[in-house]
Amino acid sequence: MQSPAVDGYIRPEAGVREQQLSDSLAIQESEMVKLRIRDSLAYFLMALSLAGCSSLMDGGDHSLAVSGEVRSGGGSHALSQRQVALLNSWLGEHRSGWGMVLATPPVPDLVVVVKREDGKSASLDFYLQEGWKSALTYFGSGNKEISQASFPAAEVLALKADLMAPQ
């Protein structure tokens, strides 16, 4: 239905414009609901996958290092028994906070490769890049043994310094 002509123009009823606006808003709301459902599902799946992940560092299955080697751009050297004990002690005191690797780390500036009690090898990566100095990444022998954590930078740097010093 149209309203009477004003100045020679036929104007639509105000109700028609309101209906068009209402229809447009309904479509936008429907799209928003779909996006919220999609996002909620994504968060749920991510939480579910994180809950299913286990880390050697968090669990009781942590196998201690029996020997190791420090590798950096400046060469490599074997860890002394004191350094192996220090590393085992440090990791034992820092069992919590480890989780899935969610961001690709930069190239490490220091890698500590250890042989564990169970005969398998593992490595612990330290980083020099800004924003990663407090991060450590642990790579064990399987996918369930890959984890990452951040600790106070001073603690990580102290451990790194103790492990870097040839004994």
Side-chain angles (χ1 to χ4, degrees), residues 13-33:
E13 288 282 337
V16 172
R17 277 189 257 147
E18 288 172 1
Q19 184 62 42
Q20 290 171 339
L21 182 58
S22 176
D23 290 346
S24 176
L25 289 174
I27 291 170
Q28 288 175 358
E29 277 185 18
S30 173
E31 292 300 315
M32 290 296 289
V33 168

Side-chain angles (χ1 to χ4, degrees), residues 85-125:
L86 173 77
L87 179 61
N88 285 329
S89 175
W90 195 93
L91 290 173
E93 293 169 6
H94 295 83
R95 288 174 100 59
S96 64
W98 294 88
M100 266 178 82
V101 176
L102 298 176
T104 303
V107 174
D109 81 307
L110 180 76
V111 177
V112 178
V113 180
V114 297
K115 183 172 182 185
R116 303 183 324 197
E117 285 178 323
D118 61 8
K120 296 178 181 176
S121 292
S123 68
L124 188 63
D125 292 0

Side-chain angles (χ1 to χ4, degrees), residues 49-59 61-62 98-101 116 120 138-148:
S49 69
L50 288 172
C53 289
S54 64
S55 165
L56 255 188
M57 305 311 249
D58 289 329
D61 297 335
H62 177 65
W98 294 88
M100 266 178 82
V101 176
R116 303 183 324 197
K120 296 178 181 176
Y138 179 87
F139 295 95
S141 61
N143 287 340
K144 289 185 177 181
E145 295 184 45
I146 299 174
S147 52
Q148 199 170 62

